[in-house]
């Protein structure tokens, strides 16, 4: 095999691999819709679990006035979502939970 043919082969293979990787179905994002147990973290990646840990997430607050449901970053449950969420990480969030990035909710008006 000549150098030219080898380069064509390698570039062609790389291009094909790149093309096929672009055609692969997108990874499904973690969605809160359909989650019925707000303590169930089985759908989260190790990376997301580590992020929650680094942010100091605790399912029950150690500071009575600082709860997720009175935090500016909290995403409250909706008709489609039984569990709350957070703008900082994926996965369900208990209303009575807490993390070190708690920020008081600012009153509208």
């Amino acid at each position: 095999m000549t150098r030219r043919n080898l380069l064509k082969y390698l570039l062609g293979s790389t291009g094909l691999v790149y093309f096929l990787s672009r055609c692969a179905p997108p990874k499904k994002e973690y969605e809160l819709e359909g989650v019925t147990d707000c303590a169930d973290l089985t759908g989260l990646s190790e990376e997301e679990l580590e992020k929650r840990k680094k942010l100091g997430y605790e399912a029950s607050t150690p500071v009575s006035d600082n709860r997720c449901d009175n935090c500016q970053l909290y995403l409250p449950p909706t008709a489609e979502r039984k569990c709350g969420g957070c703008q900082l990480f994926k996965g369900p969030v208990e209303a009575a939970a807490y993390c070190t990035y708690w920020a008081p909710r600012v009153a509208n008006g």
Side-chain angles (χ1 to χ4, degrees):
M1 182 177 273
T2 66
R3 240 188 280 178
R4 176 177 275 169
N5 287 342
L6 179 62
L7 284 173
K8 281 182 181 179
Y9 174 76
L10 291 175
L11 290 174
S13 302
T14 306
L16 180 61
V17 169
Y18 176 77
F19 175 76
L20 291 176
S21 70
R22 293 281 148 211
C23 293
K27 284 177 93 175
K28 185 170 174 68
E29 289 290 321
Y30 186 89
E31 297 176 4
L32 290 172
E33 287 80 10
V35 174
T36 56
D37 179 3
C38 299
D40 181 9
L41 305 177
T42 56
L44 290 174
S45 68
E46 287 297 319
E47 182 181 353
E48 284 299 323
L49 292 170
E50 187 62 28
K51 187 186 291 185
R52 291 168 77 97
K53 189 175 179 180
K54 285 181 181 177
L55 294 172
Y57 178 81
E58 295 182 35
S60 181
T61 184
V63 184
S64 61
D65 292 339
N66 299 3
R67 297 168 37 110
C68 286
D69 62 358
N70 68 5
C71 175
Q72 187 68 30
L73 301 169
Y74 182 66
L75 303 168
T78 65
E80 298 83 32
R81 245 187 15 234
K82 178 186 178 228
C83 304
C86 181
Q87 295 177 37
L88 297 178
F89 52 82
K90 295 177 184 174
V93 172
E94 300 280 353
Y98 166 85
C99 88
T100 54
Y101 286 79
W102 180 85
R105 186 175 300 272
V106 179
N108 293 335

